[in-house]
Amino acid sequence: MAVSMKNVDPAFQGVGQKVGMDIWRIEDFLPVPVPKSEYGKFYSGDSYIILKTTALKNGAYHYDVHFWLGKATSQDEAGTAAIKTVELDAALGGRAVQYREVQGHETDKFLSYFKPCIIPLEGGVASGFKKVEAEKFEPRLYVCKGRRVVRVKEVPYSRSSLNHDDVFILDTEFKIYQFNGSTSNIQERAKSLEVVQYIKDTYHDGKCDVAVIDDGKLVAEADTGEFWSLFGGFAPIGKRAASEDDAISEVSTGKLYIVEEGTLNPVNESPLSRGMLESNKCYILDCGAEVFVWMGRITSLEERKAASASAEEFLSSQKRPKHTLITRVIQGFETLPFRSNFDSWPVAGGATVSEDGRGKVAAMLKQQGVNVKGLLKGAPSKEEVPPLFDTHGKLEMWRINGTAKTAVASHDVGKFFSGDCYLVLYTYPGDRKDEYFLCHWIGKQSTEEEQAAAARISTQMANSLKGRPAQGHVVEGKEPPEFIGLFQNFYLFKGGLSSGFKKKVEDQGLDDDTYKDEGIALFRVQGTGPHNSKAIQVDLNAASLNSSYCYILQNNALLFIWNGVSSTPEEHQLAVKMAEFLKPGTTPKILKEGSESANFWNPLGGKETHPNFRESKETGKDPRLFACSLVKGKLQVTEVFNFAQDDLLSEDVMILDTFTEIFAWVGQNTDSKEKQQVFDIAQKYIERTAAQEGLPENIPVYKVTEGNEPFFFTKYFESWDPVKAAVQGDSFQKRLNVLLGRPAQTPEAPKRRTASVEGIDTGFLTKMSPSATRTQPVESSGATQRAAAMAALSSTLNTASLGDPSRPAIKPIRVKLPSADILDTPPPKKEAKGGSPEVSFPSEPEDNVEVPNSSVVSDDVQSVQESQNGDNVEQSSEYISYERLKARSENPAPNVDPKRRESYLSPEDFIKVFGMESKQFYSLPKWKQDMQKRALDLF
């Protein structure tokens, strides 16, 4: 990077070294840090710079920089904010995405930092505005827009401001009214209720009444009469008038300009391709509603500033709306919306950081005495051991034969043939009724007819169970951890046993290499725990060996176990276990690489050279949530940033993308046509994301219905309230019930049972009886704190007199509602690999078929409640060294609670070990806490 650090503002030195948010306000043309107590409070007369630092799964930091411009900010302050944002990016090593935010038109990403909303305050500090100290409480009217995030704008307190298309909030001294326009969107109504709660808590200390007014319903209700009396009585209102806010630029396709000495010269080549962008230049890409500034990796800081200024001038010369979004990206860190404008853009595994630029920045910061650990991060953390199902349920397995299914004998459950398709149903006890996990598994060599039959019968079984199962589509080689974890032993054989495969072999004149009980076969054994342990049949030759793995060689009645020199003791034990499952009662001969005899090499055709490397693991990425729908066959996708359980709206189909699995979540009130297209939506999403972002093909896909979410779905949410998930009704009615303290109507809504995992003890390999339990099931705790707290905050609706008394000067305070105390600490899950054939997803529903009765063994379970909030974690009064706290310590400390080993660290040691303070650590999502603890051997 050619950027000089001499011109970077001192206020930005050392930033970006910890997860969280930093905010500066522009005062006298300089960035001044805003106290954390003031975060979320923006004055319309000021300009701000916001830095959001996020820790990614691969250990690196991701930076988003926003500069927010109030509607009354001066041109000079706005220009300063734009320039200082470029300097901040330089201080971060030139890898941040920069967004220009205009009051009232902020991006969804920006608003997601300040849920449920921001309500800008009049006045300003740096701009010279005098802060308004209201002596009287003046009623205020707000219009709310947005289905995912809410944009709140104050409008004149007049009946003429109301319309049939929007949602309005009228804030008076003793009561808050929400007015729902007759044609307003139900999800906007639901999100607006969150704003009502925010206003109630922030400006009324939680002590005022709330009323909802429905446009067009002039019933004899006190609330309705009161509302209209505040506007001088009822009178007709109109539709929303068109405004500049609704203007859409005619430019829709990207038009590229090169910035040269302050002027813009169009690039007339078409179509656009990645090769047009030169690393020593800056470009502007005009997409109408959004303008991008692309800055080459080796451009100077002054060139980048000039390019940013050119973008502002370009909008002015084109007479575009002032709120047109400007996004600035650095070479190597381009966003998907930017890349999607180019006809060709190589899909990479992730942006690579210039080591030269990173090193220069790190060296400068180190000279200043700054900890550069975060800047130099990049090494991936250790493998996460995921939660799994417990083993107290009933596991059933069927093989597809033609168009029907045939039950697999219990002693063969866990044996899969590449030429076949299978159905797997796991029934396990819930708190009130049985829960189901249903998957169809597709072998790479299976026929298209049997693949289609597997999908169809799986859907029929799911329908016969009232759509409650988590329904999965799994392809050979891509088995997810929760699937593999169901089996004590997972074997993958060559060939097939189904009628469809046998006919395929006969029709095509193929050699049938189907595994036989008596014969010669070679298996590679791989895995680190029950979530990914497999034995896979490989080609019968010495070249198939690999020094990093263990192998089982079957020679009719004889068994050999071959341990590669780079394999681990745990893998040696796993090989013994898998050999016992393959041929019970047979004692295998164990060989170490280099000590083989002719009896071993002869079946393999003689000794040959073989490799010594492990298969590379897929890079972990943070989960992302999208609202998806099909409109005339075209997929429409909207990302939900910083998502939480409340973002799952009952009228939607949502896609949760974890990069190793795809979850299609279906709300209770989703349109019936979209419910039938769920797998089609998921498939189109996969195709789109595979092409644009390198999503693995044949990734496992699950269909999950609202109220029946399994633990391996809920684990990706920072907190999960199972009671809230089971409430009936549309998204608006659900939130209204909570806000007004009404009892939740949950007919037969089961509490979700979850499981807790304390890690995988490698000793599981030495106790491998078929009934071995891998996880201990636990139950959720009792009633949800959040619902109780909200109910307590809501007063009984009354007809208090409303007038216009004085409103005391209230300092706005952001009040955080208590989070749910019920943690869904699920059971562990795992990972897998491989390729697979193209398989069509089922269209649903089909005719119901009878599902075999499943008797479920129910055991007593221990209820465990774990805290996810650092304030609630009891710190030990006795400090113990990190080396003695490790799970595999050679000198373990006695009487240590294994669930909270980290709490015994001194504050100094905690920072050394985790790279952050304990309070910051406990503010992370539970799954991220567990991941770090596992990586540090403290789990």
Side-chain angles (χ1 to χ4, degrees):
M1 180 176 75
V3 171
S4 169
M5 305 302 294
K6 292 187 297 185
N7 298 324
V8 173
D9 197 289
F12 299 140
Q13 292 183 359
V15 299
Q17 300 304 300
K18 59 182 181 180
V19 173
M21 188 184 298
D22 297 278
I23 300 179
W24 297 266
R25 179 171 52 230
I26 302 301
E27 299 181 19
D28 296 328
F29 306 103
L30 294 174
V32 177
V34 173
K36 291 191 180 297
S37 60
E38 298 289 297
Y39 282 14
K41 186 191 300 183
F42 295 90
Y43 289 89
S44 60
D46 288 333
S47 297
Y48 296 80
I49 296 174
I50 299 91
L51 166 63
K52 178 67 172 179
T53 304
T54 308
L56 303 178
K57 270 192 172 183
N58 63 6
Y61 283 150
H62 173 78
Y63 301 112
D64 288 298
V65 177
H66 307 255
F67 60 104
W68 185 90
L69 308 177
K71 65 181 181 181
T73 192
S74 69
Q75 191 63 39
D76 288 341
E77 282 185 337
T80 300
I83 292 173
K84 292 298 180 182
T85 300
V86 180
E87 293 180 19
L88 173 57
D89 173 61
L92 296 169
R95 47 192 176 139
V97 180
Q98 306 161 48
Y99 302 88
R100 173 179 175 267
E101 310 282 354
V102 177
Q103 179 179 339
H105 301 275
E106 297 86 353
T107 62
D108 287 4
K109 179 186 280 285
F110 178 80
L111 291 175
S112 72
Y113 305 152
F114 307 100
K115 290 183 177 180
C117 66
I118 60 171
I119 302 180
L121 304 171
E122 292 299 321
V125 178
S127 60
F129 281 77
K130 189 173 182 180
K131 185 177 177 181
V132 178
E133 298 290 346
E135 297 182 357
K136 291 186 177 182
F137 189 109
E138 298 291 341
R140 296 171 182 170
L141 184 63
Y142 304 95
V143 61
C144 301
K145 298 182 181 182
R147 299 173 60 182
R148 302 292 158 194
V149 292
V150 187
R151 290 168 179 81
V152 181
K153 178 181 179 181
E154 186 171 358
V155 294
Y157 176 31
S158 167
R159 187 196 301 113
S160 61
S161 295
L162 302 175
N163 62 61
H164 297 301
D165 304 307
D166 292 320
V167 178
F168 295 84
I169 295 175
L170 176 61
D171 181 18
T172 69
E173 185 171 13
F174 300 110
K175 186 177 286 189
I176 303 172
Y177 299 86
Q178 176 168 318
F179 175 82
N180 297 326
S182 58
T183 58
S184 61
N185 183 276
I186 193 169
Q187 294 182 334
E188 282 189 331
R189 299 181 185 186
K191 299 302 287 188
S192 297
L193 286 175
E194 297 177 11
V195 180
V196 170
Q197 183 71 60
Y198 171 78
I199 293 174
K200 179 178 178 180
D201 292 336
T202 305
Y203 296 102
H204 298 271
D205 199 25
K207 300 176 181 177
C208 71
D209 294 331
V210 172
V212 173
I213 310 300
D214 290 321
D215 179 19
K217 295 185 179 179
L218 299 178
V219 294
E221 291 185 359
D223 292 333
T224 302
E226 287 175 352
F227 175 79
W228 287 111
S229 68
L230 293 171
F231 292 95
F234 174 77
I237 58 176
K239 293 185 177 181
R240 179 176 56 205
S243 67
E244 184 191 50
D245 294 353
D246 303 315
I248 300 176
S249 172
E250 294 180 0
V251 181
S252 57
T253 56
K255 188 171 183 180
L256 189 65
Y257 298 85
I258 185 171
V259 182
E260 295 177 311
E261 299 181 355
T263 62
L264 301 185
N265 298 316
V267 177
N268 296 320
E269 297 180 50
S270 180
L272 300 180
S273 67
R274 168 65 182 84
M276 296 178 181
L277 304 175
E278 300 181 33
S279 300
N280 62 343
K281 297 179 180 178
C282 295
Y283 297 81
I284 287 178
L285 179 65
D286 179 18
C287 298
E290 183 171 9
V291 171
F292 294 93
V293 180
W294 185 90
M295 296 171 278
R297 172 58 58 187
I298 59 175
T299 53
S300 68
L301 182 59
E302 293 308 315
E303 287 174 320
R304 296 180 184 184
K305 290 180 179 179
S308 298
S310 296
E312 300 274 0
E313 294 170 3
F314 175 76
L315 291 182
S316 177
S317 66
Q318 296 286 313
K319 297 182 180 180
R320 298 281 177 81
K322 294 181 180 179
H323 60 262
T324 301
L325 178 61
I326 298 178
T327 303
R328 304 186 302 218
V329 296
I330 302 290
Q331 179 182 356
F333 294 88
E334 296 88 353
T335 62
L336 177 60
F338 176 83
R339 288 187 277 116
S340 62
N341 288 281
F342 291 77
D343 186 59
S344 61
W345 194 285
V347 176
T352 56
V353 180
S354 165
E355 295 302 325
D356 176 60
R358 182 188 280 177
K360 287 181 180 178
V361 176
M364 182 202 72
L365 296 177
K366 196 170 183 180
Q367 287 179 353
Q368 300 169 358
V370 175
N371 181 358
V372 297
K373 178 180 178 182
L375 185 60
L376 297 176
K377 276 189 173 185
S381 58
K382 293 183 181 179
E383 179 186 12
E384 177 184 0
V385 179
L388 301 172
F389 285 104
D390 60 44
T391 55
H392 298 296
K394 182 176 181 179
L395 181 61
E396 297 169 277
M397 183 171 167
W398 296 267
R399 179 182 296 107
I400 299 299
N401 271 310
T403 59
K405 69 182 192 299
T406 303
V408 174
S410 59
H411 60 272
D412 286 329
V413 169
K415 295 180 179 179
F416 293 81
F417 285 80
S418 184
D420 296 336
C421 298
Y422 295 85
L423 296 173
V424 175
L425 175 65
Y426 184 63
T427 308
Y428 58 102
D431 286 339
R432 298 184 185 176
K433 50 188 169 183
D434 289 345
E435 306 292 351
Y436 304 98
F437 177 59
L438 173 64
C439 285
H440 60 278
W441 182 92
I442 305 297
K444 289 182 180 180
Q445 304 302 318
S446 60
T447 66
E448 292 184 3
E449 293 77 8
E450 290 188 337
Q451 292 171 13
R456 173 178 52 82
I457 297 174
S458 175
T459 298
Q460 290 174 346
M461 293 174 68
N463 290 340
S464 68
L465 294 168
K466 300 181 180 179
R468 289 175 47 220
Q471 186 182 354
H473 168 91
V474 178
V475 176
E476 176 188 334
K478 290 291 184 180
E479 296 85 2
E482 58 274 4
F483 181 83
I484 298 177
L486 289 172
F487 306 95
Q488 294 294 321
N489 304 278
F490 186 98
Y491 257 91
L492 179 59
F493 298 105
K494 290 189 173 186
L497 303 178
S498 69
S499 58
F501 178 77
K502 291 178 180 178
K503 187 175 186 301
K504 173 183 175 181
V505 169
E506 181 180 346
D507 291 347
Q508 298 182 11
L510 303 174
D511 292 331
D512 189 353
D513 57 355
T514 301
Y515 168 78
K516 306 295 191 300
D517 288 339
E518 292 299 325
I520 304 175
L522 181 64
F523 302 89
R524 182 177 72 239
V525 177
Q526 61 188 51
T528 58
H531 63 293
N532 60 6
S533 295
K534 298 180 180 180
I536 302 172
Q537 187 177 0
V538 295
D539 292 339
L540 188 64
N541 56 59
S544 295
L545 300 175
N546 185 318
S547 299
S548 294
Y549 296 98
C550 297
Y551 290 79
I552 299 172
L553 173 62
Q554 174 187 321
N555 187 358
N556 295 310
L558 299 178
L559 284 183
F560 295 92
I561 292 179
W562 184 86
N563 296 326
V565 293
S566 300
S567 58
T568 66
E570 291 78 19
E571 289 170 331
H572 301 167
Q573 297 177 50
L574 175 61
V576 173
K577 167 183 177 282
M578 301 299 275
E580 170 63 23
F581 180 65
L582 181 66
K583 294 189 77 66
T586 302
T587 302
K589 184 175 182 179
I590 299 177
L591 305 173
K592 183 178 180 180
E593 182 179 359
S595 65
E596 307 89 349
S597 64
N599 289 336
F600 176 80
W601 292 118
N602 288 340
L604 299 178
K607 186 175 181 179
E608 296 183 37
T609 57
H610 52 262
N612 182 10
F613 64 88
R614 286 187 180 270
E615 295 177 357
S616 60
K617 292 185 173 66
E618 292 170 350
T619 304
K621 295 188 178 181
D622 283 356
R624 301 169 69 185
L625 184 68
F626 301 86
C628 297
S629 61
L630 283 178
V631 179
K632 296 183 179 179
K634 186 176 181 180
L635 181 67
Q636 294 188 346
V637 178
T638 303
E639 182 165 6
V640 180
F641 300 97
N642 298 304
F643 63 84
Q645 182 182 0
D646 285 343
D647 291 311
L648 298 173
L649 299 180
S650 189
E651 296 76 25
D652 284 339
V653 172
M654 312 290 291
I655 294 290
L656 177 64
D657 179 1
T658 72
F659 201 73
T660 55
E661 294 169 287
I662 295 294
F663 296 88
W665 181 90
V666 186
Q668 295 172 357
N669 296 287
T670 302
D671 179 78
S672 59
K673 290 184 179 179
E674 287 204 335
K675 284 184 178 180
Q676 296 177 25
Q677 295 176 315
V678 169
F679 278 114
D680 290 335
I681 290 173
Q683 178 62 22
K684 286 184 180 294
Y685 172 83
I686 291 170
E687 292 170 356
R688 164 190 175 275
T689 313
Q692 296 178 342
E693 301 188 69
L695 185 74
E697 294 183 1
N698 298 314
I699 188 171
V701 180
Y702 291 117
K703 173 187 173 183
V704 176
T705 56
E706 183 178 8
N708 299 293
E709 296 86 355
F711 67 84
F712 51 90
F713 173 83
T714 61
K715 64 168 280 190
Y716 292 106
F717 293 79
E718 185 172 347
S719 62
W720 185 268
D721 182 350
V723 176
K724 182 188 297 184
V727 172
Q728 305 294 310
D730 60 45
S731 53
F732 171 72
Q733 197 61 46
K734 288 179 180 181
R735 282 165 172 73
L736 184 61
N737 288 340
V738 173
L739 180 63
L740 300 181
R742 296 171 181 168
Q745 299 177 6
T746 56
E748 295 198 67
K751 291 186 189 176
R752 303 291 305 154
R753 172 166 29 201
T754 61
S756 174
V757 174
E758 296 182 27
I760 301 298
D761 183 357
T762 54
F764 85 95
L765 296 167
T766 64
K767 312 171 187 168
M768 301 179 175
S769 67
S771 60
T773 300
R774 303 185 182 98
T775 62
Q776 291 299 319
V778 298
E779 294 182 6
S780 301
S781 61
T784 308
Q785 255 190 4
R786 183 180 179 87
M790 280 186 153
L793 288 173
S794 297
S795 309
T796 305
L797 294 177
N798 56 55
T799 54
S801 58
L802 289 172
D804 259 346
S806 297
R807 180 178 202 172
I810 301 175
K811 183 180 181 180
I813 300 175
R814 179 170 288 277
V815 179
K816 187 174 181 180
L817 294 174
S819 60
D821 218 354
I822 300 176
L823 292 179
D824 224 42
T825 314
K829 80 203 251 197
K830 325 30 188 312
E831 264 177 43
K833 318 205 158 277
S836 47
E838 293 186 6
V839 180
S840 60
F841 288 110
S843 59
E844 44 189 310
E846 295 272 355
D847 296 333
N848 289 347
V849 297
E850 184 178 350
V851 179
N853 292 330
S854 301
S855 58
V856 180
V857 180
S858 161
D859 292 336
D860 291 335
V861 294
Q862 176 185 6
S863 179
V864 177
Q865 182 177 353
E866 293 185 274
S867 172
Q868 186 176 341
N869 188 315
D871 298 334
N872 298 331
V873 174
E874 181 182 352
Q875 296 294 319
S876 173
S877 58
E878 172 191 4
Y879 295 142
I880 302 175
S881 70
Y882 171 55
E883 293 301 324
R884 298 192 67 193
L885 286 172
K886 287 183 178 180
R888 299 181 183 86
S889 174
E890 296 180 0
N891 181 27
N895 303 321
V896 170
D897 184 347
K899 297 177 185 176
R900 56 185 195 95
R901 294 178 188 273
E902 77 286 353
S903 66
Y904 295 87
L905 291 168
S906 67
E908 296 78 13
D909 286 346
F910 198 102
I911 294 175
K912 288 180 182 178
V913 173
F914 287 91
M916 64 183 77
E917 295 181 353
S918 59
K919 186 174 182 180
Q920 183 181 352
F921 172 77
Y922 290 118
S923 68
L924 296 174
K926 185 69 166 58
W927 65 272
K928 286 193 176 183
Q929 294 179 31
D930 291 347
M931 182 180 70
Q932 293 198 29
K933 287 164 67 174
R934 289 190 185 98
L936 295 167
D937 197 21
L938 290 174
F939 196 80

